[in-house]
Amino acid sequence: MKRKPIQHYEARAAVAKALAHPSRLLILDALATKEMCVCDLTELVGADQSTVSKHLAVLKHAGIVDVRRDGVMTYYRMKIHCLEGFWKCVESVLKQNLKDQSAALGV
Amino acid sequence: MKRKPIQHYEARAAVAKALAHPSRLLILDALATKEMCVCDLTELVGADQSTVSKHLAVLKHAGIVDVRRDGVMTYYRMKIHCLEGFWKCVESVLKQNLKDQSAALGV
DNA sequence: TACGTCTATGGCAATATTACCATGAGTTCA
DNA sequence: TGAACTCATGGTAATATTGCCATAGACGTA
């Protein structure tokens, strides 16, 4: 097995890091079906508008979402369409963890 | 579309966060094929042994790896086997980003 | 032009992450 | 028992992340 250069893992980690916040995951879930403006996402997340804007900047910088300006509004939309596999993997981890915790309790 | 509770996204984010560090990704790549002891992983990562130990604790706490003790040695191994989909997704993001950057340069 | 709306950014404090050093706990072996 | 080895855990400093406030920039409309 040939070892990948450290930059390879840094690039991967950057994407994972962008996915590593509950508010951003909530945003991505909302964007899965349709594009939304910052105002809608702000109401959805329930945080300050500037906070949501910075979360969106993180997602944009990671290349996960894309932006479309229309007058005063700014619409964000999913740029990639492969997160299902990621979620499936994450859920399997969570499910396994729950199972292990139950087993540890002797249930 | 029914909204998932915030705890749902926090649980997802916890897993993503555990994956969001180059050294941990390097470790996971090494563990993909075989279990390894902390000493081997320490040499692989090239950081202090305590640093690697803490990285492994993060992965273990997230439920991504598992531990087996054998005398003085402690062997870590992959506990889940669905990261291929995750990597595939991440790589597609990176590939798309590169393509966009090239397009932005007019190449 | 002036105003209201929508979004992005700088500043700042609180918190979290990370890496190293030192050390402790546990095991093997002489 | 004592030395050597492997690994985990405090402690600490440097750095990064996060959230809110204030504010600036951009656009549409009167």
Side-chain angles (χ1 to χ4, degrees):
Chain A
M1 184 184 66
K2 200 185 291 182
R3 186 145 309 139
K4 300 183 183 67
I6 182 63
Q7 289 85 357
H8 190 88
Y9 297 104
E10 286 172 350
R12 283 181 168 186
V15 176
K17 193 180 292 187
L19 297 172
H21 192 287
S23 296
R24 290 198 287 271
L25 298 189
L26 174 59
I27 289 171
L28 289 179
D29 224 13
L31 294 181
T33 55
K34 60 180 182 304
E35 70 176 13
M36 296 177 73
C37 65
V38 179
C39 51
D40 288 340
L41 293 171
T42 298
E43 188 186 355
L44 171 70
V45 173
D48 193 88
Q49 178 268 320
S50 66
T51 299
V52 174
S53 186
K54 284 180 182 176
H55 279 308
L56 290 167
V58 170
L59 291 173
K60 182 179 183 311
H61 187 259
I64 300 173
V65 302
D66 215 346
V67 186
R68 178 178 71 87
R69 253 161 279 251
D70 184 10
V72 194
M73 317 287 280
T74 302
Y75 293 96
Y76 282 83
R77 59 180 171 77
M78 290 297 300
K79 189 177 174 185
I80 55 164
H81 307 279
C82 63
L83 283 178
E84 290 80 13
F86 170 72
W87 299 140
K88 209 177 294 182
C89 176
V90 169
E91 303 297 342
S92 90
V93 176
L94 296 173
K95 207 175 298 181
Q96 183 65 42
N97 290 351
L98 275 182
K99 209 192 303 186
D100 293 350
Q101 286 166 28
S102 299
L105 292 174
V107 179
Chain B
M1 185 184 68
K2 201 184 293 184
R3 187 146 307 136
K4 299 184 185 66
I6 183 63
Q7 289 86 357
H8 191 87
Y9 297 104
E10 286 172 351
R12 283 181 167 185
V15 176
K17 193 180 293 187
L19 296 172
H21 193 287
S23 297
R24 292 199 285 271
L25 298 189
L26 174 60
I27 289 172
L28 289 179
D29 223 14
L31 294 181
T33 55
K34 61 181 183 300
E35 69 176 14
M36 296 179 73
C37 65
V38 179
C39 50
D40 288 340
L41 293 171
T42 297
E43 188 186 356
L44 171 69
V45 173
D48 192 88
Q49 178 268 319
S50 68
T51 298
V52 174
S53 186
K54 285 179 181 176
H55 278 309
L56 290 168
V58 170
L59 291 173
K60 183 179 183 311
H61 186 259
I64 300 173
V65 301
D66 216 346
V67 186
R68 179 178 69 87
R69 252 161 279 251
D70 184 11
V72 194
M73 316 288 279
T74 301
Y75 292 95
Y76 282 83
R77 59 181 170 77
M78 290 296 300
K79 187 176 173 185
I80 54 162
H81 307 279
C82 62
L83 283 177
E84 289 80 13
F86 171 72
W87 299 141
K88 208 177 294 180
C89 177
V90 169
E91 303 297 341
S92 90
V93 176
L94 296 173
K95 206 176 296 179
Q96 183 65 41
N97 290 351
L98 275 182
K99 208 192 301 184
D100 293 349
Q101 285 166 29
S102 300
L105 291 174
V107 179

